[in-house]
Amino acid sequence: MFNSSNACKWLHCVFTRISFKALGWCVLLGSVSLPAIAIQIQRIESDVFVSGDIVANDDVKLRAEFEAAPVKRLILVNSRGGHLNASLNIARWLATQPVTTLVSGPCLSACSLIFMAGKERMYATGFEPRLTVIGIHGPSLPLTGQMLPERAGEMLAFYKERMGPKYDAQLLHTALYEMKDASGFVLVREISRNPPKDRITLHCPTAGTPRWRCTEYPRLDAFTLGLVTATETVSLQLPDSMRPRMP
């Protein structure tokens, strides 16, 4: 089972105005200190729930699930992201399917690419509202965390295509090219269950950036940016193995 506590602790630190330096390591694409946890897939009728890290060949695994029976909704649950090529392969293929994508809990890094592939895209219940967040940043090497700006163009093109006329070139450039290391993110939070102060989009260039030094974008949210296609949060029940278990 994918342990949700590390990602959730990190986000708690960000959203309660505490420096998140000590926990920022948990969001790296592939930190030496944090081995990838294989993707977990579970089907409930026409819903497919996916949790964990995306690793090489997971695109083949997920596509096989879609080919086994019709899928109406893909629910991304507490994912730190993962393998860029596999995630782009999933996202590009998924964009050709009439599927709705939902996010429950953190959907960070490469997970956001898969989310953006949905024809309809929304946040969902299952985690606390402030922990249900989409995190966007540029690609990096899995072992060292070294940023790879030469690969960011592929991601930028896909985000731009999926966001359509709401695409914000400045914010996406910041997210993909202006992070100081792989622990930095632009964080875009759930809308309907959060009070206005907790809907603010943030740019935190490193995991060591104190909350008060993160750049706020008070006029930008998931809907105005084109990340989600509706502001409402979808109510659903997560599989037992994917429910948050905070210590």
Side-chain angles (χ1 to χ4, degrees):
M1 181 186 70
F2 180 51
N3 187 342
S4 64
S5 62
N6 288 330
C8 292
K9 285 179 183 176
W10 180 79
L11 289 168
H12 266 303
C13 288
V14 179
F15 300 149
T16 53
R17 300 178 181 272
I18 299 172
S19 172
F20 53 124
K21 182 177 182 180
L23 294 167
W25 56 268
C26 71
V27 299
L28 295 177
L29 280 172
S31 170
V32 172
S33 62
L34 190 64
I37 303 167
I39 196 173
Q40 179 187 358
I41 300 175
Q42 185 168 339
R43 176 187 286 270
I44 300 177
E45 297 180 349
S46 61
D47 286 343
V48 170
F49 295 80
V50 173
S51 183
D53 301 339
I54 301 132
V55 299
N57 298 319
D58 272 348
D59 50 326
V60 177
K61 187 177 179 181
L62 186 59
R63 188 162 182 167
E65 186 65 42
F66 274 69
E67 292 172 350
V71 176
K72 291 183 179 180
R73 301 192 302 184
L74 176 67
I75 300 98
L76 300 162
V77 184
N78 192 19
S79 174
R80 301 173 302 192
H83 196 279
L84 178 59
N85 288 341
S87 299
L88 278 172
N89 287 342
I90 293 170
R92 288 165 177 158
W93 169 77
L94 199 63
T96 67
Q97 307 299 306
V99 65
T100 293
T101 51
L102 304 176
V103 163
S104 179
C107 177
L108 306 176
S109 191
C111 175
S112 66
L113 290 167
I114 298 173
F115 173 73
M116 290 303 298
K119 184 176 181 181
E120 302 293 333
R121 304 180 296 274
M122 288 163 279
Y123 291 107
T125 60
F127 282 70
E128 294 179 35
R130 290 194 301 168
L131 299 182
T132 299
V133 59
I134 297 166
I136 301 174
H137 69 177
S140 62
L141 290 174
L143 295 180
T144 66
Q146 178 184 342
M147 303 303 291
L148 295 173
E150 64 272 17
R151 295 294 309 276
E154 301 171 68
M155 301 173 67
L156 186 66
F158 188 77
Y159 288 124
K160 183 176 181 179
E161 173 192 330
R162 304 306 295 173
M163 291 177 180
K166 295 182 177 181
Y167 167 76
D168 188 299
Q170 181 178 355
L171 184 65
L172 266 292
H173 187 276
T174 295
L176 298 178
Y177 293 99
E178 296 180 21
M179 298 299 172
K180 293 183 179 179
D181 59 46
S183 68
F185 279 94
V186 164
L187 298 164
V188 189
R189 297 181 278 181
E190 185 186 344
I191 299 171
S192 67
R193 293 190 298 160
N194 276 319
K197 68 181 180 64
D198 291 330
R199 301 173 194 165
I200 296 172
T201 294
L202 301 173
H203 167 222
C204 301
T206 74
T209 305
R211 168 64 180 81
W212 62 272
R213 293 194 65 183
C214 295
T215 303
E216 295 186 351
Y217 297 86
R219 296 185 179 180
L220 297 178
D221 61 33
F223 185 72
T224 60
L225 285 169
L227 292 182
V228 297
T229 57
T231 59
E232 297 79 10
T233 296
V234 176
S235 180
L236 54 75
Q237 291 291 323
L238 296 179
D240 287 344
S241 62
M242 296 185 185
R243 292 176 184 174
R245 286 168 170 80
M246 298 295 291

